[in-house]
Amino acid sequence: MTRSEELFQRAVKRIPGGVNSPVRAYGAIGEAPRFIDHADGCHIYDADGKEYIDYIDSWGPMILGHNFPEIREAVVKACEKGLSFGCATAVEVEMAEFICDHLPHVEMVRMVNSGTEAVMSAVRAARGFTGRNKIIKFAGCYHGHSDALLVSAGSGVMTSGVPDSAGVPAGCTQDTMTAVYNDLDSVRTLLESAPDQVAAVIVEPVAANMGVVLPKEGFLQGLRELCDKFGTVLIFDEVITGFRLAFGGAAEYFGVTPDMVTYGKIIGAGMPVGAYGGRKEIMEMVSPSGPVYQAGTLSGNPVAMAAGLTQLKYLYTHPEVYTGLEKKGEKLYEGMKKIAEKAGLTCHLNHISSLGSIFFTKEEVCDYTSAKTSDTKAFANYFLSMLNRGVHLAPSQFEAMFLSDAHSDEVIQQTLKVFEEVVAKGEIYE
Ligand code: HOZ
């Protein structure tokens, strides 16, 4: 028995499903998850000492790779002063100023502890600001696990095959309307069906929790125009795309300005952080300056701020990281595409910069319905074949692959060689 198997046997007795977040489980794969001991650069090492090329990147925040020296040093230095005060600190002011000074669409920002919290709070602020209750989300987009957003959600909810979570009272989702990603008409119809009632449209500007699904030309701009027309707040959930596609996230990448934006783990460089921000008049609704209540003892935690601010400053002063991620993405994902095409493998590969997903389907994947046509058994085979050859992918069809600045050309070539072998041996479709 491996150490991971032994740990998993112990874990399932004390932790639901043996994991502290469902997407870590190898449910669809039928094996014990690899328990991780440490990571460095683009490599991750399991409890049995096996090395893998890591494409999970802690689900996004490791843009500079694992254990980045400057971030580690900033954390150690912050720890020497104390772990948490539950009081205001200079570093959180510096963080807020840095974000607002460099992101034109963020005039004010509030730190929280996760993306879930950020979205939940942003929606509350939008409701407080507009005096309206309804919100529109998109099927297959994932915005964390707060009650109102667990409707046709992506990520682990989609993997589990349960469209809506148990334990969520109908009353909590009665104001959540669901539109079709990349379909502006579906949004217009919902807005017209509830005039003056929709507080916010929330969207992952690049959907990355039903696998990676790119916005079609004009989709995000169309949302901007519809929100302006109906007096609705446009929220970009940039938990995955923020500071990753560009320093200004998808808003900068696509040149579309949301009213509010939500961030998650990336803003803490891997520490448990989230944030929401946007137009001043909306953010001023938040307590204690306004009547929308939201709070948190650990919000703006000094150790997390030190980690996050160090990463943000590095990214801002090294724009070559972004051109590098574009090139790496092109090399890896286009390389995979060529291998698949040459072998006549039934699949579709969606990618943008460092994010990518392979879907085992004939269909072009542009929304929740088409994403679900992917053969998840083929995905499980692909995942295991790659893992057994030292490539660590998300154990779910509906999560993204994440490249970091630490993934060298050599490592990308190595990954392509592994993929080529898996395809050549016919291990994906049995
Ligand atoms: N769903 C997120 C990744 N797409 C976070 C991972 C998790 O749920 O643990």
Side-chain angles (χ1 to χ4, degrees), residues 21 23 59 142 155 208-209 240 265 399:
S21 193
V23 296
W59 308 98
Y142 181 72
S155 189
N209 284 286
I240 288 183
K265 45 220 153 203
E399 302 291 341

Side-chain angles (χ1 to χ4, degrees), residues 115-126:
T116 294
E117 222 187 299
V119 168
M120 193 177 76
S121 312
V123 166
R124 189 178 299 148

Side-chain angles (χ1 to χ4, degrees), residues 138 180-184 187 203-205 215-224:
F138 293 87
V180 179
Y181 195 79
N182 272 327
D183 181 350
L184 286 173
V187 184
V203 67
E204 286 183 80
K216 286 186 179 161
E217 178 87 40
F219 176 61
L220 297 174
Q221 184 57 36
L223 290 182
R224 178 65 279 170

Side-chain angles (χ1 to χ4, degrees), residues 55-56 59 208-209 211-212 240 355-357 394 396 398-402:
Y55 288 102
I56 295 183
W59 308 98
N209 284 286
V212 172
I240 288 183
L355 300 168
S357 273
S396 161
F398 304 113
E399 302 291 341
M401 275 173 88
F402 295 91

Side-chain angles (χ1 to χ4, degrees), residues 35-40 43-47 49-50 52 66-67:
F35 281 68
I36 302 306
D37 182 70
H38 66 283
D40 203 60
H43 290 104
I44 200 158
Y45 301 82
D46 73 11
K50 253 193 107 179
Y52 304 88
H66 291 283
N67 207 7

Side-chain angles (χ1 to χ4, degrees), residues 112-344:
V112 290
N113 299 293
S114 69
T116 294
E117 222 187 299
V119 168
M120 193 177 76
S121 312
V123 166
R124 189 178 299 148
R127 283 174 163 157
F129 176 70
T130 56
R132 302 172 177 182
N133 287 338
K134 293 197 183 299
I135 54 167
I136 294 176
K137 77 173 288 285
F138 293 87
C141 283
Y142 181 72
H143 304 289
H145 61 91
S146 66
D147 286 347
L149 276 307
L150 276 181
V151 180
S152 299
S155 189
V157 188
M158 199 163 165
T159 311
S160 69
V162 181
D164 303 315
S165 170
V168 176
C172 291
T173 55
Q174 71 188 13
D175 288 319
T176 306
M177 305 166 103
T178 309
V180 179
Y181 195 79
N182 272 327
D183 181 350
L184 286 173
D185 284 341
S186 73
V187 184
R188 190 177 299 110
T189 303
L190 290 176
L191 286 165
E192 284 170 353
S193 74
D196 300 328
Q197 292 178 59
V198 182
V201 169
I202 183 161
V203 67
E204 286 183 80
V206 171
N209 284 286
M210 50 175 149
V212 172
V213 178
L214 273 56
K216 286 186 179 161
E217 178 87 40
F219 176 61
L220 297 174
Q221 184 57 36
L223 290 182
R224 178 65 279 170
E225 286 158 18
L226 282 171
C227 284
D228 286 343
K229 182 171 170 203
F230 287 87
T232 295
V233 173
L234 178 60
I235 307 174
F236 276 5
D237 181 341
E238 297 236 35
V239 165
I240 288 183
T241 48
F243 307 102
R244 177 169 272 282
L245 288 189
F247 189 81
E252 177 185 324
Y253 198 95
F254 294 104
V256 178
T257 305
D259 300 299
M260 296 188 82
V261 63
T262 56
Y263 298 112
K265 45 220 153 203
I266 288 179
I267 215 159
M271 301 291 285
V273 184
Y276 64 106
R279 280 166 49 197
K280 191 167 184 244
E281 56 187 329
I282 305 175
M283 292 304 293
E284 276 182 339
M285 295 299 291
V286 177
S287 185
S289 61
V292 174
Y293 198 73
Q294 181 268 310
T297 297
L298 293 172
S299 299
N301 171 272
V303 182
M305 291 299 98
L309 188 56
T310 305
Q311 171 152 283
L312 295 193
K313 282 185 173 170
Y314 188 96
L315 289 171
Y316 189 74
T317 51
H318 293 80
E320 71 278 8
V321 169
Y322 293 106
T323 40
L325 288 176
E326 286 282 343
K327 282 191 194 134
K328 288 172 203 287
E330 196 69 15
K331 223 169 247 164
L332 176 65
Y333 303 124
E334 284 300 314
M336 288 174 76
K337 227 179 200 172
K338 266 195 205 116
I339 292 166
E341 269 165 22
K342 205 167 144 206

